[in-house]
Amino acid sequence: MPRKNEPTERQCAVTREVHPVSSLIRFVLDPEGQVIPDLKRKLPGRGVWVTAAKDVVAVAEKDRKKIFGRGFKSEVRVEPGLAERVDELMERSALQALSMTRKAGDLVTGYAKVEAALRGGTVAGLIHASDAAEDGVRKLAAVAAGGNETANGCQIVRLFDSMQLDLALGRSNVIHAALLAGQASENFLARVRDLERFRGLTGDADSEKSDA
């Protein structure tokens, strides 16, 4: 959310296009004059806004004197790999939000429990480890396709491997999980969509909706 009394739209320093702040990443300078991302848009000081896409952030890094130097009106430092650091921060934010779904009771794990949730029509999203066997993924997709409208068409997430899921959820061997309807699930899925857009994966097979 934008800070109180601030505009809800900003101009991208790279493309010069105006977008909602939710589609942009705010960058600020730390005390040493280094450019750092402010994903929560809460850090003090002047901000430079860049479209939340990995390739656009990479352009801003490459042309840092023109983009960030002009935007901050001062000499700036940009450590190499800015786009990758933003990606890591966004991924970490999504995994933290996933952890909150477990604490909120909005998540079930394990093939049998996920299947039961799908048949019950309470699923807001499905998570499959990126290294999950395709056979299990296909079988659960078939269950979702045969379910009611609540299950059919739920968001599919395949951005994280089983080790990342294990760490986020404090469990072992997490391959399949179902997100139940709730605010925590909505928050996680919103962060997933942000990460997908940043990586240019919108509409990609790695995160798609059931098409039945």
Side-chain angles (χ1 to χ4, degrees):
M1 295 293 292
R3 292 181 295 179
K4 187 177 180 179
N5 298 325
E6 286 211 346
T8 58
E9 294 183 327
R10 291 283 189 172
Q11 184 181 62
C12 171
V14 176
T15 67
R16 315 307 293 176
E17 297 174 346
V18 175
H19 297 287
V21 295
S22 60
S23 299
L24 299 162
I25 295 173
R26 182 176 185 260
F27 292 90
V28 298
L29 293 180
D30 69 8
E32 285 72 45
Q34 181 167 301
V35 175
I36 59 172
D38 175 23
L39 297 186
K40 294 184 178 181
R41 312 178 192 102
K42 292 182 178 180
L43 294 177
R46 185 184 186 88
V48 170
W49 300 78
V50 176
T51 299
K54 199 168 189 176
D55 56 346
V56 181
V57 175
V59 170
E61 177 185 350
K62 182 178 180 180
D63 296 336
R64 53 190 173 275
K65 290 184 179 180
K66 178 181 178 182
I67 303 299
F68 290 122
R70 180 178 61 194
F72 289 117
K73 303 183 186 303
S74 67
E75 292 291 326
V76 301
R77 292 173 49 233
V78 180
E79 290 294 326
L82 181 62
E84 287 72 21
R85 287 196 300 281
V86 172
D87 186 287
E88 291 171 2
L89 288 171
M90 294 181 71
E91 182 178 77
R92 188 184 309 164
S93 176
L95 288 169
Q96 289 172 344
L98 176 60
S99 179
M100 293 305 297
T101 66
R102 179 186 65 81
K103 295 176 182 178
D106 287 352
L107 183 93
V108 295
T109 60
Y111 186 94
K113 290 183 179 180
V114 171
E115 182 179 16
L118 283 169
R119 295 189 187 282
T122 59
V123 175
L126 275 177
I127 302 171
H128 303 299
S130 58
D131 49 341
E134 292 303 319
D135 182 57
V137 174
R138 284 195 298 270
K139 287 179 179 178
L140 288 175
V143 175
N148 60 33
E149 291 183 0
T150 304
N152 189 12
C154 63
Q155 185 173 346
I156 309 299
V157 180
R158 296 198 68 180
L159 293 177
F160 314 110
D161 62 32
S162 56
M163 183 176 296
Q164 289 175 302
L165 295 177
D166 289 353
L167 290 173
L169 298 174
R171 301 179 182 182
S172 60
N173 197 34
V174 178
I175 304 298
H176 306 286
L179 295 158
L180 308 181
Q183 187 60 52
S185 292
E186 291 179 13
N187 291 341
F188 167 68
L189 291 173
R191 284 168 174 73
V192 165
R193 289 190 291 269
D194 288 343
L195 182 56
E196 289 173 341
R197 284 192 293 267
F198 185 75
R199 292 178 174 176
L201 296 176
T202 303
D204 189 272
D206 280 348
S207 184
E208 59 192 13
K209 293 191 175 185
S210 176
D211 56 6

